[in-house]
Amino acid sequence: MSEQTAANAPTSTAPAATASAAKASAATKPATSLWVERTGTRRYTGRSSRGAEVLIGSDGVEGVFTPGELLKIALAACTGMSSDFPLSNRLGENYDVTIRVSGDADRENEVYPQLNEVVELDLSELDEAGRQRLLVTVQRAIDKVCTVGRTLKAGSTVNLTFQIDS
């Protein structure tokens, strides 16, 4: 928003206004560019325009993630981030959680037919009713805002093109 527009903007922080402002801000923010560069035989470095890097390679190569492992990590990270607010609101800012994700590839079809997530969380300070309420809230948050999980469940169209230098 320009300074002039910001000065005239409503100051309400109602959920609808906040959500609209977040969407408007996201729409004006430039998208992060992502790419991979080949660094050797079946070895790549994934990069983002924000300066992040991840090493990618074949199974059995030390110090790299396979593309399938990155898919699983993306799912687990999305689950964690989606559950962060309800868990921190109830358990405090310094709660511990580990999200494990697994799933074997079907090599004949080159897909992961099933991915399994396990959220390891200490809820011993809550009574049974409190645990159940929190878990329902967390599941709803994950189902609503975990983009990676929602994409995997819904399926996604992948468009591949080639840019050829000649």
Side-chain angles (χ1 to χ4, degrees), residues 40-142:
T41 302
R42 295 185 51 81
R43 289 186 63 106
Y44 290 79
T45 298
R47 302 183 191 280
S48 84
S49 59
R50 293 192 325 269
E53 293 184 352
V54 62
L55 302 179
I56 308 161
S58 295
D59 188 30
V61 175
E62 290 299 316
V64 300
F65 290 105
T66 67
E69 290 167 341
L70 289 173
L71 174 76
K72 294 174 194 176
I73 287 172
L75 176 61
C78 191
T79 294
M81 293 173 70
S82 298
S83 64
D84 198 65
F85 286 128
L87 288 172
S88 64
N89 285 339
R90 184 64 178 96
L91 303 175
E93 288 295 319
N94 296 320
Y95 74 93
D96 293 322
V97 66
T98 299
I99 300 143
R100 299 193 188 278
V101 61
S102 62
D104 294 329
D106 170 353
R107 289 297 172 207
E108 184 175 317
N109 296 302
E110 289 299 333
V111 297
Y112 291 95
Q114 181 173 321
L115 297 175
N116 305 300
E117 290 183 284
V118 177
V119 178
E120 298 174 358
L121 189 61
D122 181 1
L123 299 180
S124 60
E125 294 182 12
L126 304 177
D127 63 18
E128 183 59 31
R131 281 192 291 271
Q132 290 307 311
R133 280 192 306 274
L134 180 57
L135 293 176
V136 166
T137 301
V138 167
Q139 183 68 59
R140 285 182 183 151
I142 293 166

